[in-house]
Amino acid sequence: MQVSDIMKYARLAGQVLCIMIYVAAPALCLLPENPAITSEDLYAIELQVQREVNNARYTARIPQLNWNETLAMEARRHAKNMANRQFFSHDDPMRGDLSRRLDRSGIEWIRCAENLYSEIGFNDPAKHAVQVWLDSPGHRKNMLDSMFSDAGVGAALQSDGTLLIVQVFILK
């Protein structure tokens, strides 16, 4: 057997493994070679981020965040804008900072904050995003701020396979 044959079989085995993982848990199969992520996959990642953040809040004995679909829509819009226009910032050059974006969307809030995450190639991006945020003092403060009552998460994929995750927190 030649090396090229071994490489073909190894690649095929990797693809079969990815399919098996995808069938078991679609949001976990985010290999850079597989850019065919669906909106359902992105939604599963969004919900998993919310669960992971609420798990961290539970551990810290802080009330759980309510899922707010209106906030999730705003988070998705920001993630898609970053993906489509190739920027990574809390300030959208066209729509402004978080407070301005929330106001423009008609979302009522007293306090707000936002966490952003960008990655490529992790098998469990939601868990990794939350861990990265927990390891960052500013992001951790947002996640574990007991004043925040609601959150929404948005995810988008750039053309190069980079996953962008936005989580928005508010106090109503």
Side-chain angles (χ1 to χ4, degrees), residues 7 9 46 60 68 85 96 106 113 121 140 151 161 166 172:
M7 295 302 290
Y9 288 121
E46 293 168 358
N68 184 313
R85 292 186 300 181
R140 180 183 186 87
V166 176
K172 290 189 192 182

Side-chain angles (χ1 to χ4, degrees), residues 40-60:
E40 290 81 14
D41 297 329
L42 293 174
Y43 184 67
I45 291 168
E46 293 168 358
L47 293 178
Q48 186 180 357
V49 166
Q50 180 80 0
R51 280 191 303 273
E52 295 289 338
V53 169
N54 274 335
N55 287 342
R57 289 173 69 92
Y58 177 80
T59 300

Side-chain angles (χ1 to χ4, degrees), residues 30-45:
L30 288 177
L31 302 176
E33 292 179 356
N34 184 10
I37 304 299
T38 67
S39 58
E40 290 81 14
D41 297 329
L42 293 174
Y43 184 67
I45 291 168

Side-chain angles (χ1 to χ4, degrees), residues 149-165:
S149 58
D150 291 58
V153 181
L157 202 60
Q158 288 182 334
S159 58
D160 68 355
T162 300
L163 176 68
L164 302 172
I165 300 174

